[in-house]
Amino acid sequence: METPADPVGRIIDDLIGYLENLKEDGVTEIELSRELTERPMLMTSSPSDAQSPAGPVVPETRIPVAANDSAVNVKAALAGIASQIAVCTKCVLHKTRTKTVPGQGHSQPEILFVGEGPGADEDLQGLAFVGRAGQLLTRLIIRMGYRREDVFIANVVKCRPPDNRKPLPDEMEACLPFLKAQVAALKPKVIVTLGATALEGLIPAQGKIFITRLRGKWLTYENIPLMPTFHPSYLLRNPPAMWDVWNDMLEVLKLLGRTPPPKKSG
Ligand code: URA
C-alpha cells in the first residue's frame, strides 16, 4: 500500500506495473545495463545524507538513460525517470501534489507534446492532459491522423501548481532535468510545445515569451524541430485560435511527410 512515507514502495509498484505491461506485450526478457545491476538504487541518498551543517542535502539525481534505442530500453529509461519523479522533493510543488504526472504515451513517438503542468484531473489520475484541455488535445491528435497512444504527452512540471497557477521559474528549472531526460530517451522527430509557459520552461534562455509572435515558427531543441503553438486551455476560451493551431499542426505533418486523413462526414 502506498503512503507518502513509502517512496520505495511506490518505485517497486511502478516497476512491477511496468514489468506486467511488458509481459502483456509478449516480452519475456529485459536487458539490464551493467550500471543498473551494479547499482540497484537509482537515487544516491542515504539517511546520513539527510542533514549537513549547511542544511538539508538534496540527493544527486541520477537520471537513467536508455542503453540503446530498443523499445524495451526506452521503456525502462522512461520507467526509471517516472520512479525518480515519484519521489522528487526538489521544489515546493511536491508538498501539495496528490500524484506525480510524469507523462505518458508511445516510447518511440514521432511527436512529443509538452504542456505546462498538471491540473486538478491530472493530479488525481497521475496522467497528463486528461481534463477538458486534454480532451481537446486528443481531438486534435486524432484529426492529425494519430491515436493518443501514438504520441507522447508530457509537461514541463510534473506536479500540480496549487490553484492551477503558472509554475514558477525555480520550479520549472528544478523539473527540467526530467523532461530533458524524457526527450533524450524518446528521441521524438518533432516537439510541439503548448502555450508560452511550456516553451519558456523548455528553452529558459528565451526569457519572456510572446506566444502570439512565436507560434507557427519552427525552433529547435537539442537538434529536434520544435513547433510552438497555443495551449488547448486557451483554445477553450478562444475557439477561433484553433485555426492557427491547425495550421501549425499542418506544418508538423508536412515535416513528418504526412497528410491529415480526410475529415469524416456526418
Ligand atoms: N494543462 C497542462 O498544461 N497540462 C496538463 O497535463 C493538463 C492541463
Side-chain angles (χ1 to χ4, degrees):
M1 188 55 120
E2 178 197 325
T3 68
D6 182 22
V8 175
R10 178 152 185 181
I11 293 175
I12 291 168
D13 285 350
D14 283 352
L15 208 61
I16 291 171
Y18 163 69
L19 291 171
E20 279 171 350
N21 283 344
L22 284 183
K23 207 166 140 196
E24 276 169 25
D25 289 348
V27 175
T28 52
E29 282 178 21
I30 61 166
E31 221 175 277
L32 290 182
S33 69
R34 181 181 288 275
E35 193 190 19
L36 262 180
T37 49
E38 282 172 358
R39 232 197 138 103
M41 288 299 287
L42 293 164
M43 298 287 285
T44 57
S45 65
S46 70
S48 59
D49 283 340
Q51 291 291 328
S52 81
V57 173
V58 178
E60 180 204 345
T61 307
R62 292 168 47 83
I63 295 182
V65 290
N68 64 43
D69 291 347
S70 82
V72 171
N73 281 324
V74 177
K75 283 181 187 174
L78 292 173
I81 297 164
S83 298
Q84 298 216 353
I85 292 170
V87 295
C88 179
T89 55
K90 283 196 276 180
C91 80
V92 292
L93 296 184
H94 81 275
K95 294 187 184 164
T96 46
R97 73 184 173 214
T98 310
K99 286 190 175 173
T100 52
V101 183
Q104 74 281 345
H106 204 283
S107 58
Q108 293 171 314
E110 290 191 348
I111 308 176
L112 164 64
F113 287 93
V114 178
E116 176 174 320
D121 296 303
E122 291 76 17
D123 175 66
L124 285 177
Q125 295 185 42
L127 295 168
F129 278 100
V130 287
R132 280 184 73 215
Q135 286 161 20
L136 188 54
L137 179 62
T138 305
R139 279 168 54 196
L140 182 67
I141 290 167
I142 292 170
R143 187 68 195 88
M144 291 169 77
Y146 296 92
R147 298 164 307 164
R148 235 180 107 104
E149 54 271 35
D150 294 328
V151 302
F152 200 92
I153 305 174
N155 283 301
V156 168
V157 295
K158 315 298 190 188
C159 298
R160 181 189 183 200
D163 303 320
N164 297 341
R165 67 159 168 76
K166 189 179 142 153
L168 301 173
D170 65 306
E171 293 160 355
M172 295 199 278
E173 197 185 323
C175 219
L176 192 56
F178 295 126
L179 183 56
K180 272 188 173 197
Q182 288 175 318
V183 172
L186 292 164
K187 296 187 176 51
K189 294 202 173 101
V190 175
I191 299 173
V192 174
T193 51
L194 303 166
T197 309
L199 182 58
E200 215 172 291
L202 196 56
I203 312 183
Q206 292 228 319
K208 173 106 182 101
I209 300 275
F210 294 95
I211 193 66
T212 40
R213 282 188 220 152
L214 280 177
R215 64 136 279 276
K217 300 195 174 81
W218 282 111
L219 301 171
T220 56
Y221 176 78
E222 305 280 343
N223 292 323
I224 301 168
L226 183 153
M227 174 59 76
T229 196
F230 290 131
H231 193 284
S233 300
Y234 174 70
L235 301 181
L236 290 170
R237 297 191 303 270
N238 185 9
M242 191 70 209
W243 289 111
D244 289 327
V245 172
W246 183 238
N247 282 330
D248 300 345
M249 295 308 102
L250 288 177
E251 286 299 313
V252 167
L253 290 174
K254 193 161 31 151
L255 186 117
L256 293 168
R258 291 180 175 270
T259 47
K263 202 163 186 267
K264 284 200 186 106
S265 54

